[in-house]
Amino acid sequence: MGGVKNIWNAMEVAKQTSDCSTSQIHSSSLSVDPSLPLSHITPLIIELCKDLFKKWSNLENSHFSVETVSGGITNLLLKVTVKEDNGNDVSVTVRLYGPNTEYVINRERELQSIKYLSAAGFGANLLGVFGNGMVQSFINARTLIPSDMRNPKLAAEIAKQLCRFHQVEIPGSKEPQLWNDLLKFFEKASALEFDDNEKQKLYKTISFSEVHNEIIELKELTGLLNSPVVFAHNDLLSGNIMVNDEEDKLYLIDFEYGSYNYRGFDIGNHFNEYAGYECDFTLCPNKDEQYHFLRHYLQPDNPHEVSEKDLEALYVEENTYTLASHLYWALWGLIQAKFSPINFDYLGYFFLRYNEFKRQKEKCFSLARSFLSRSQTLNMHAQT
């Protein structure tokens, strides 16, 4: 799948962005198949590390240990620990992209932003790029699980970090990507064909003209809310948040889907992620929990000074964008159902997200419309 072309693009991007950080980004043209068992992957990862980092090239293989950190539903993360000649142990994280993920992820955009985000103190440092992945510094922390996000102390810290994240400036176009990406997903998702008869039958039950109308209607409504455009994470699920409990430090990681986007989408999408991959939407935060988060987002230093007016406006904004998040990941699920080798019911995931969209639509639309008509009335009174 065009691996060689991708690696040279990656090297170009790495070169262009290296001026914002003193660290040099190493590169290798090797690729490693993420679907292999760990025992087969290990020697390949060791060879890759020796190729990328010349200071390790003469070390015996016994100096390297490789373990799985997590297998998400798009990537494989590995921790590589190296015993250097001076006796020091050094750890790095190797991220292997899942096959065919370029259908849903703009890798060039990811590499562009990663340098600037790590310079601003987010995520891990980028150390190297290779045929189908990257190597980053290792973060000594645990990955959150969905129920952690309900913890008021962690929720407040995530909100503060997200506020800071949204202030990072990334060079290039500042055009919000939500509707571009959604319509690209729609084009790909509506033109699939499955070899598996059962899957094809289920796929045929989807009315894509209905989905398209929903996208257009929602785009018009959210457009009236004037959500600020920020550099957004776009995938702030529990697996992309880490915490070091001893040091009380929280990290936002993995910027694969990062782009300029609407603030409301990033926050609304995060709240949807309380449901986990199982899509248990009863776990999503209630209004009080959302207000707690939004206070710390709007005024990280003085959360209790946020006005009711600002709270309500952001509450309406992000609730309306939770609908866009359902459509986005529903269509993403269809594309993955066709192209991903990972054993996950992506087709079922489409229906879970799309049905939740339909269940929430009326409530979110009327919330937004009544807020907009009240605001309009207030504006008219203010002008008279």
Side-chain angles (χ1 to χ4, degrees), residues 19 23 56 89-90 99 103 145-146 150 153 181 217 228 234 236 260 353 369:
D19 57 354
S23 64
W56 295 341
D89 281 353
V90 177
Y103 287 106
I145 55 172
R150 298 191 76 107
K153 186 177 167 223
D181 287 349
E217 193 184 359
N234 296 325
L236 204 53
Y260 272 93
R353 296 302 297 254
R369 285 183 178 140

Side-chain angles (χ1 to χ4, degrees), residues 160-178:
K160 288 177 186 176
Q161 290 272 4
L162 189 60
C163 170
R164 216 165 60 74
F165 189 92
H166 285 169
Q167 289 160 11
V168 177
E169 282 279 321
I170 309 282
S173 163
K174 303 277 192 286
E175 189 197 345
Q177 294 302 307
L178 174 63

Side-chain angles (χ1 to χ4, degrees), residues 210-365:
E210 177 191 282
V211 176
H212 193 264
N213 291 340
E214 298 289 14
I215 294 173
I216 300 308
E217 193 184 359
L218 183 59
K219 182 175 189 239
E220 281 172 15
L221 178 63
T222 55
L224 302 172
L225 293 168
N226 299 321
S227 182
V229 175
V230 294
F231 190 81
H233 186 289
N234 296 325
D235 191 24
L236 204 53
L237 46 82
S238 59
N240 288 338
I241 306 169
M242 298 180 84
V243 68
N244 181 319
D245 296 304
E246 289 75 54
E247 295 173 18
D248 235 3
K249 271 195 84 167
L250 185 118
Y251 302 88
L252 308 185
I253 62 163
D254 275 15
F255 314 123
E256 300 187 287
Y257 292 91
S259 70
Y260 272 93
N261 221 342
Y262 302 101
R263 169 185 76 175
F265 177 79
D266 216 13
I267 298 172
N269 183 67
H270 172 65
F271 290 156
N272 279 342
E273 294 297 354
Y274 279 50
Y277 291 134
E278 295 74 36
C279 295
D280 180 355
F281 293 107
T282 62
L283 299 174
C284 286
N286 60 31
K287 188 174 183 178
D288 287 345
E289 290 170 315
Q290 290 186 39
Y291 267 32
H292 168 72
F293 183 100
L294 299 177
R295 276 194 185 90
H296 286 87
Y297 173 86
L298 286 167
Q299 289 217 30
D301 298 326
N302 303 303
H304 299 295
E305 288 179 18
V306 177
S307 71
E308 279 300 309
K309 183 170 157 279
D310 289 350
L311 264 181
E312 190 201 4
L314 183 49
Y315 176 75
V316 171
E317 180 191 317
E318 50 86 0
N319 265 278
T320 315
Y321 275 99
T322 58
L323 294 175
S325 154
H326 287 310
L327 290 176
Y328 182 97
W329 294 110
L331 292 169
W332 171 91
L334 284 182
I335 299 164
Q336 295 284 31
K338 171 69 180 169
F339 295 109
S340 174
I342 291 168
N343 182 18
F344 181 80
D345 181 12
Y346 289 108
L347 202 51
Y349 190 75
F350 166 84
F351 288 101
L352 286 170
R353 296 302 297 254
Y354 190 53
N355 290 339
E356 186 63 16
F357 164 84
K358 290 197 281 197
R359 233 194 327 274
Q360 297 293 344
K361 181 185 170 185
E362 209 33 64
K363 186 187 84 175
C364 294
F365 265 62

